[in-house]
Amino acid sequence: MQTVLVTGARGQIGSELIPALQERSEVETVVATDIEEPEAESGPTEKIDVRDKEAFATALEEYDVDTVFHLAAILSAKGENHPQLAFEVNIEGFHNVLEAGRQHGLERLVVPSSIAVFGPETPTDPGEMTTLAPRTIYGISKVFGEHMGNYYNWNFGLDVRGVRLPGIISHKTLPGGGTTDYAVEAFYDAIENGEYDYFVRDDTELPMMYMADAIDALIGIATAPRDSLEYPCSYNVGALSFTPKELTAAIQEHRPDFEAHYEPDERQEIADSWPDDIDDSAAREDWGWEHTYDLESMTADMLEHLEEKLG
Ligand code: VAH
């Protein structure tokens, strides 16, 4: 990884992946791209819409990119309100990235998948090879991404890799349009309002992960020896699973007056289609995945940073 291009640079993951990549000794340049021009933070920036294949291909050539982290996507909840947009960005956009990467001779393409690939028929505590019948266009696009990543590797030798990320929690950049956004919004509202209205039931358990661990997972899969990877595009990576009730209790350990209310909306159906927990033993065995943060340490770190950020 010498010259890296990141799509979705302004997003929840991109805004923290880029500085993590820039800290790595082997990385010389990180080109930050997004549909709106990213803030110039010690590296080149480009305004690129992944639906524009030519613009993306031109950036690969102009910067002689060897590695792409493709993060640009419409998330689950927003995708259900704008399915055509999600199809264009997540499916056609990813195909553009694959084709441009193939033609450019990209060394490595890292694209996160998601637990959204699972559906109601997926057995509990699923591994990598299981029933994938997602009920969202976002989940369908991630199944497409996993299979197309494998296809481009088998047929064109393009080294595509990915991990199925759970809901990601962070304090730097708000997520947008995700079903798991409640797990971030609750922290902001606990500080700013002292209360939060969750949009899912209090017993809705979902796999989650703190951003620092998600960054480790993405860089871990990106740098793992290829021949150690049995599921290069589809590894489950887990950290913790919790319900809104458990999150509320963890926040109340620090803010006893925090009040939670539960008013499920249409996102409850999406959350109910995903598993409570996942089996990530393959990632831990094949390439040494391990997480650091649990609910208590994540909650303490989130509140500490947000109290500083929100003043
Ligand atoms: C979403 N945060 O809610 C994303 C993620 C597993 C959930 O893919 O759509």
Side-chain angles (χ1 to χ4, degrees), residues 182-183 185-187 189-190 194-205 242-252 257-268 295:
Y182 62 83
E185 293 168 359
F187 285 100
D189 281 23
E195 61 180 336
Y196 178 64
D197 297 340
Y198 288 89
F199 50 75
V200 292
R201 289 190 318 271
D202 66 348
D203 64 345
T204 306
E205 183 172 7
F242 57 77
T243 65
K245 194 172 184 180
E246 290 164 333
L247 177 59
T248 295
I251 292 173
Q252 287 169 337
D257 298 336
F258 172 53
E259 279 186 28
H261 311 285
Y262 304 93
E263 297 170 16
D265 66 15
E266 70 283 357
R267 289 167 284 191
Q268 182 68 55
L295 182 57

Side-chain angles (χ1 to χ4, degrees), residues 75-77 114-116 138 165-168 177-181 274:
L75 296 184
S76 58
S114 163
I115 62 165
Y138 172 74
L165 291 176
I168 304 301
T179 299
T180 60
D181 292 359
W274 296 343

Side-chain angles (χ1 to χ4, degrees), residues 148-210:
M148 286 297 276
N150 288 329
Y151 182 81
Y152 269 68
N153 178 54
W154 297 330
N155 289 278
F156 306 117
L158 182 59
D159 184 354
V160 187
R161 301 151 181 239
V163 288
R164 291 171 181 164
L165 291 176
I168 304 301
I169 293 150
S170 66
H171 52 77
K172 181 173 180 183
T173 306
L174 273 168
T179 299
T180 60
D181 292 359
Y182 62 83
V184 177
E185 293 168 359
F187 285 100
Y188 278 81
D189 281 23
I191 292 171
E192 294 183 311
N193 309 319
E195 61 180 336
Y196 178 64
D197 297 340
Y198 288 89
F199 50 75
V200 292
R201 289 190 318 271
D202 66 348
D203 64 345
T204 306
E205 183 172 7
L206 284 177
M208 300 282 184
M209 184 179 290
Y210 202 32

